[in-house]
Amino acid sequence: MIAVDTLIHARWIIPVEPESVTLEHHTLVIDAGRIIEVLPTHLAQAKYQGACTEALDNHALLPGLINSHTHAAMALMRGIADDLPLMDWLNNHIWPLEQKWMSEAFVRDGTDLAIAEMIRGGTTCFNDMYFFPDITAKQAIQHGMRASIGLIVFDFPTIWAEHSDAYIEKGLALYDRMRHQPLISTTFAPHAPYTVSDGPLEKIRTLSDELDRPIHIHVHETLHEVEQAQQDNGKRPLQRLHELGLVNPSLMAVHATQLTDAEIAMLAEAGAHIVHCPESNLKLASGFCPVARCIAAGINVALGTDGAASNNDLDMFGEMRTAALLGKAVAGDASAVPAMTVLRMATINGAKALGLEHEIGSLSVGKAADVIAIDLNLLETRPLYCPVSQIVYAASRQQVTDVWVAGKRLLNQRQLTTINLDELTAKVAQWQQRLSG
Amino acid sequence: MIAVDTLIHARWIIPVEPESVTLEHHTLVIDAGRIIEVLPTHLAQAKYQGACTEALDNHALLPGLINSHTHAAMALMRGIADDLPLMDWLNNHIWPLEQKWMSEAFVRDGTDLAIAEMIRGGTTCFNDMYFFPDITAKQAIQHGMRASIGLIVFDFPTIWAEHSDAYIEKGLALYDRMRHQPLISTTFAPHAPYTVSDGPLEKIRTLSDELDRPIHIHVHETLHEVEQAQQDNGKRPLQRLHELGLVNPSLMAVHATQLTDAEIAMLAEAGAHIVHCPESNLKLASGFCPVARCIAAGINVALGTDGAASNNDLDMFGEMRTAALLGKAVAGDASAVPAMTVLRMATINGAKALGLEHEIGSLSVGKAADVIAIDLNLLETRPLYCPVSQIVYAASRQQVTDVWVAGKRLLNQRQLTTINLDELTAKVAQWQQRLSG
């Protein structure tokens, strides 16, 4: 018998790689934070002795979900200003609140709320873009959560930095501090083409090349953005990014609701990634990303929730479902964007976009043990003809019972192990009072 | 002190009528199955003595949700054939399965599964259309659930009847048997314009007038349906229904994804109702109902899940959320279809469409006590700035803790009181085996 840290016997294992495989009565073997074997349970029982053993007879194991675009700390503004036109929402609500309340404490507590929600919902890695990214990274490390931290850049001053050079400098310092943190990776995160000018974008492209880091940027979120850019620069934002050399395999183009055939071809040829945020796009009436066409062209499409202020949750199960349903309607084809495709968007495609495909995104031997278990034995997921279909179209995040990140259990039968729920709730209540004031 | 059956002290009460009111620290007083008063808790405590008293300190009370279009028993086919083009789905999967397995037992067990799911999700009334409507009614009565039973009509033979006259005759017999059942109402349910010819539609219109019963019909579900009708009859289906006299205040037009401005005006002027089923429309790539335009024109728009085979759940919370999000995107306006509007679609608008607005759809004195309680004290619904917004955009059906129909408690702290879950699960497992065979 080989001694290992953890054995998880499961009714189903959906490894995502190889695609379309669902294993039955298999066991995931974890040691030193990594997956060392996936094999039939009766063989595992003969071969391995686990320091911890779980028998999940009604559950499916999946790779942890990857939320490829969010602003975690905005969870404190969940539902504070709904049903408003985009510019009213930003100018008269979100930005004034951020102006007034943004601080290290806001980002600390908001990130904690978001991490707690994400763990309870089966998300094991989030790709963030917000102020005080150092605090976001610190909180993720503290709670055992995996995060990709956006090194945010604007042209104009905010509480985080004065001008684009200062943003880049602070970002590089954080990159350096985080280089050897196993749970943390970084991306360059120029906010959007309309908030970052050519000079800093070119610097970021050079740094991205040198340090092999993704560039995480909102792009073509709305028709208004594209039209305004055409007025201001005589070109569409993606064309401008292309001319600046940013359309390459490091690009994570978030939203992309406005895409011509030529732009889809350009992104595909360049090996750039799209991060689809369907619920935010719907709620802000931003438009419809042509997901089926992008996938058919060969673009790697990942999935994100956006911040909780425009969603209003960080629920990747809901987001998968919306992506599948909406993808069909936008394509005019009920067979478009099937269940397995959105499950890949929420796992391996996110890993690829973040440059982490050798580490996470599938239950493959050698990868980090970022694993979630879903109880399918509820009447809401009965009868059960196909686990993947049921997970995408009928299951809810409340059916996630257990979550491991790098082999460490962060959710144990629905209980958070690294976050004190009472303390967090009290802090959130204080922020609610302040922000309502 | 006045002795009454039930007092529910709640942190919030959202009565729906009057609109946009949220009461805090109020009490709902129930006696003999009806709401007799809604008043501040400190006054209720001085005035009433409840045989049963509930203190729900973190909860919002709402009128029970009304699922205005479903095929309940299809829950047994949840997820059996996903991601397929509509005609492939129907011709090669759903219809052959129905052909092979349809029976009283199928409808009995499928309806039980659906009722259990609906009660656990805060739905207290469903408007059904399926084979063996007598069985559906019987199961609803047995479990204390409120239902509107569609007296289904096709031109062609099915297991339920041989020809349109026989369908109508069986329907009238059922109408007669159900007239004095307090939880059951009926609608005439000709399946669709393309499956029911002019003769039976005219008969149904006459009967609908005489008996004051709604007409529940799929109409303009897809572009294909409209184009085919134009080829076959030289007119769009709504025009044909109009000429037959069916476009009137009794009409419940389900789906309506294809509507011209003139058709919207015609439905509004006639006082006809639309039942919007956004998730089914997305999943089958049927099209987008222009909900904001319909509402602006003054049409009463209700909300339904459709059957679980094309959704894949009977979750009215999810459906409200999708209706709000999608309604904004389709209108191109983030302020369109706000939270309160979809809550009305899922409650009072459904009651109006079903001709039950004097009985259900709001927490109003004199109406039946169809009430649900939602626990908002989860971190997924924190912070909490606006209960209605949080219920629509962030809460999930799992937060429904308690459900009453006509004053009888059907869900008690998440436990079903009228359905044996183990027996139901065993029956569903048997059907899964049969249907998979």
Side-chain angles (χ1 to χ4, degrees):
Chain A
M1 298 286 271
I2 303 168
V4 294
D5 289 340
T6 306
L7 295 179
I8 314 173
H9 308 310
R11 176 69 182 83
W12 298 277
I13 295 182
I14 299 162
V16 172
E17 298 275 17
E19 191 171 341
S20 301
V21 166
T22 298
L23 305 167
E24 299 199 47
H25 303 294
H26 271 57
T27 295
L28 192 84
V29 186
I30 301 174
D31 199 53
R34 297 202 169 264
I35 298 165
I36 65 165
E37 193 166 2
V38 180
L39 73 172
T41 294
H42 68 277
L43 299 180
Q45 284 166 332
K47 182 172 177 185
Y48 291 104
Q49 175 81 41
C52 170
T53 298
E54 283 299 319
L56 301 176
D57 295 338
N58 296 303
H59 298 62
L61 294 187
L62 296 175
L65 304 182
I66 299 172
N67 186 344
S68 290
H69 178 69
T70 191
H71 314 284
M74 291 183 87
L76 290 178
M77 294 189 281
R78 185 202 312 282
I80 204 167
D82 288 328
D83 301 320
L84 297 172
L86 179 60
M87 283 299 127
D88 183 8
W89 180 73
L90 275 176
N91 291 323
N92 301 323
H93 298 271
I94 299 302
W95 286 344
L97 283 166
E98 287 186 342
Q99 188 82 22
K100 184 163 179 191
W101 291 110
M102 191 51 52
S103 65
E104 295 198 356
F106 180 99
V107 172
R108 181 193 65 213
D109 297 340
T111 301
D112 282 1
L113 175 60
I115 289 175
E117 181 184 352
M118 287 192 276
I119 293 171
R120 279 160 58 110
T123 294
T124 56
C125 177
F126 66 104
N127 181 37
D128 206 66
M129 179 196 287
Y130 210 55
F131 306 104
F132 298 109
D134 53 337
I135 303 295
T136 308
K138 187 177 163 194
Q139 297 313 107
I141 293 167
Q142 184 182 325
H143 301 312
M145 182 74 167
R146 194 180 299 279
S148 166
I149 300 295
L151 309 173
I152 199 164
V153 178
F154 290 100
D155 277 349
F156 48 82
T158 66
I159 194 167
W160 176 239
E162 278 297 308
H163 49 75
S164 56
D165 280 345
Y167 284 100
I168 291 172
E169 199 174 310
K170 287 187 87 162
L172 285 174
L174 182 56
Y175 161 80
D176 223 50
R177 289 211 302 287
M178 292 296 141
R179 281 174 68 184
H180 302 296
Q181 286 289 349
L183 292 178
I184 305 297
S185 61
T186 47
T187 70
F188 290 100
H191 169 262
Y194 58 92
T195 51
V196 186
S197 50
D198 289 0
L201 285 176
E202 283 179 322
K203 266 188 205 158
I204 287 167
R205 193 216 59 210
T206 304
L207 289 165
S208 157
D209 288 350
E210 282 174 7
L211 304 174
D212 193 22
R213 292 289 80 220
I215 297 178
H216 173 202
I217 183 168
H218 299 100
V219 60
H220 288 210
E221 181 169 1
T222 64
L223 180 60
H224 172 79
E225 171 196 337
V226 175
E227 288 178 344
Q228 192 67 45
Q230 283 177 308
Q231 270 184 36
D232 295 350
N233 317 312
K235 59 188 80 159
R236 292 164 65 92
L238 267 176
Q239 181 60 29
R240 183 171 144 240
L241 293 184
H242 178 59
E243 291 171 12
L244 292 168
L246 270 78
V247 179
N248 64 42
S250 295
L251 180 66
M252 301 181 72
V254 179
H255 296 307
T257 71
Q258 314 293 320
L259 291 178
T260 64
D261 286 344
E263 286 164 344
I264 291 174
M266 175 176 75
L267 291 168
E269 199 180 336
H273 312 268
I274 286 175
V275 183
H276 180 38
C277 301
E279 294 188 1
S280 168
N281 296 158
L282 292 174
K283 185 152 185 285
L284 299 175
S286 303
F288 301 99
C289 176
V291 174
R293 283 163 55 214
C294 293
I295 292 171
I299 298 172
N300 180 57
V301 181
L303 194 65
T305 59
D306 210 342
S310 60
N311 188 307
N312 295 349
D313 60 39
L314 306 173
D315 175 4
M316 287 291 289
F317 283 87
E319 211 71 36
M320 283 198 287
R321 186 158 193 261
T322 300
L325 296 182
L326 187 64
K328 296 171 192 305
V330 168
D333 174 3
S335 67
V337 196
M340 192 65 215
T341 295
V342 296
L343 182 55
R344 291 177 66 82
M345 288 166 64
T347 54
I348 190 66
N349 293 10
K352 286 178 186 166
L354 293 169
L356 295 171
E357 70 268 37
H358 302 299
E359 191 68 7
I360 57 173
S362 64
L363 299 181
S364 306
V365 171
K367 286 196 183 183
D370 290 14
V371 187
I372 65 175
I374 306 166
D375 182 1
L376 293 176
N377 193 31
L378 269 70
L379 66 85
E380 285 78 5
T381 41
R382 291 286 174 186
L384 198 157
Y385 300 102
C386 166
V388 172
S389 190
Q390 213 70 321
I391 287 165
V392 168
Y393 292 118
S396 73
R397 59 174 168 175
Q398 283 83 1
Q399 291 175 245
V400 173
T401 57
D402 298 271
V403 171
W404 292 261
V405 170
K408 181 175 177 184
R409 197 165 187 169
L410 303 187
L411 191 73
N412 186 339
Q413 297 181 58
R414 294 293 299 154
Q415 297 306 307
L416 293 166
T417 65
T418 59
I419 296 176
N420 183 316
L421 206 53
D422 292 337
E423 281 177 21
L424 175 59
T425 303
K427 282 185 189 168
V428 171
Q430 286 173 357
W431 283 108
Q432 178 180 325
Q433 278 212 313
R434 285 182 205 127
L435 270 69
S436 306
Chain B
M1 299 285 271
I2 303 168
V4 294
D5 290 340
T6 305
L7 296 178
I8 314 173
H9 308 310
R11 177 67 182 85
W12 298 277
I13 296 182
I14 299 163
V16 172
E17 297 275 18
E19 191 172 341
S20 302
V21 165
T22 298
L23 305 167
E24 300 199 45
H25 302 293
H26 270 57
T27 296
L28 191 84
V29 186
I30 301 173
D31 199 53
R34 299 204 167 262
I35 298 166
I36 66 165
E37 193 167 2
V38 179
L39 73 172
T41 295
H42 69 278
L43 299 179
Q45 285 166 331
K47 182 172 177 184
Y48 293 104
Q49 175 82 41
C52 170
T53 297
E54 284 297 320
L56 301 176
D57 296 338
N58 296 303
H59 298 62
L61 293 187
L62 296 175
L65 304 181
I66 299 172
N67 187 344
S68 290
H69 178 67
T70 191
H71 313 285
M74 291 183 87
L76 290 178
M77 294 189 281
R78 185 202 310 282
I80 205 168
D82 288 328
D83 301 321
L84 297 172
L86 179 60
M87 284 299 127
D88 184 9
W89 180 73
L90 275 176
N91 291 324
N92 301 323
H93 297 271
I94 300 301
W95 286 343
L97 283 166
E98 287 185 344
Q99 188 82 22
K100 183 163 179 191
W101 292 109
M102 191 51 52
S103 64
E104 295 198 357
F106 180 99
V107 172
R108 181 194 65 212
D109 297 340
T111 300
D112 282 359
L113 175 61
I115 289 176
E117 181 185 352
M118 287 192 277
I119 293 171
R120 279 161 58 110
T123 294
T124 55
C125 176
F126 67 104
N127 181 37
D128 207 66
M129 179 196 287
Y130 209 56
F131 307 103
F132 298 109
D134 52 336
I135 303 296
T136 307
K138 186 178 165 194
Q139 297 314 106
I141 293 166
Q142 184 182 326
H143 301 312
M145 182 73 166
R146 193 180 300 280
S148 167
I149 301 295
L151 310 173
I152 199 165
V153 178
F154 291 100
D155 277 349
F156 47 83
T158 66
I159 193 166
W160 177 239
E162 278 297 308
H163 50 76
S164 56
D165 279 346
Y167 284 100
I168 292 172
E169 201 174 309
K170 286 188 87 162
L172 285 174
L174 182 57
Y175 161 80
D176 222 49
R177 287 211 303 286
M178 292 297 141
R179 281 174 69 185
H180 302 295
Q181 286 290 348
L183 293 177
I184 305 296
S185 61
T186 47
T187 69
F188 289 100
H191 169 262
Y194 58 91
T195 50
V196 186
S197 50
D198 288 0
L201 285 176
E202 283 179 322
K203 267 189 205 157
I204 288 167
R205 194 217 58 210
T206 304
L207 289 165
S208 158
D209 287 351
E210 282 173 7
L211 304 174
D212 193 22
R213 291 289 81 221
I215 297 178
H216 173 202
I217 182 168
H218 300 100
V219 59
H220 288 210
E221 181 170 1
T222 64
L223 180 60
H224 172 79
E225 170 195 338
V226 175
E227 288 178 344
Q228 191 67 44
Q230 284 177 307
Q231 272 185 34
D232 294 350
N233 315 313
K235 58 188 80 157
R236 292 164 65 92
L238 266 176
Q239 181 60 29
R240 182 170 145 241
L241 293 184
H242 178 59
E243 291 171 12
L244 292 168
L246 270 79
V247 178
N248 64 41
S250 294
L251 179 67
M252 301 181 72
V254 179
H255 296 307
T257 71
Q258 315 292 321
L259 291 178
T260 64
D261 286 344
E263 285 164 344
I264 291 174
M266 175 176 76
L267 291 168
E269 198 181 335
H273 311 269
I274 286 176
V275 183
H276 179 39
C277 300
E279 294 188 0
S280 168
N281 296 158
L282 292 174
K283 185 152 186 284
L284 299 175
S286 303
F288 301 100
C289 176
V291 174
R293 283 164 55 215
C294 292
I295 292 171
I299 298 172
N300 180 58
V301 181
L303 194 65
T305 59
D306 209 342
S310 61
N311 187 306
N312 294 351
D313 60 39
L314 305 173
D315 176 3
M316 286 292 288
F317 283 88
E319 210 72 35
M320 282 198 288
R321 187 158 191 261
T322 300
L325 297 182
L326 187 64
K328 297 170 192 307
V330 168
D333 174 2
S335 67
V337 196
M340 192 66 215
T341 294
V342 296
L343 182 55
R344 291 176 67 81
M345 288 166 64
T347 53
I348 190 66
N349 293 9
K352 286 177 185 166
L354 293 168
L356 296 171
E357 70 268 37
H358 302 299
E359 190 69 6
I360 57 173
S362 64
L363 299 181
S364 307
V365 170
K367 286 197 183 182
D370 290 14
V371 186
I372 65 174
I374 305 166
D375 181 1
L376 294 176
N377 193 31
L378 269 70
L379 64 86
E380 284 78 5
T381 41
R382 290 286 175 188
L384 197 157
Y385 300 103
C386 166
V388 172
S389 190
Q390 213 70 321
I391 287 165
V392 169
Y393 293 119
S396 73
R397 60 174 167 174
Q398 283 83 0
Q399 291 174 246
V400 173
T401 57
D402 298 271
V403 172
W404 292 261
V405 171
K408 180 174 177 183
R409 198 166 187 169
L410 303 187
L411 192 73
N412 185 341
Q413 298 181 59
R414 296 291 300 154
Q415 299 305 309
L416 293 165
T417 65
T418 58
I419 296 177
N420 183 316
L421 206 52
D422 292 337
E423 280 177 21
L424 175 60
T425 303
K427 282 186 189 167
V428 171
Q430 287 173 356
W431 283 109
Q432 177 180 325
Q433 278 212 312
R434 285 183 205 125
L435 271 69
S436 306

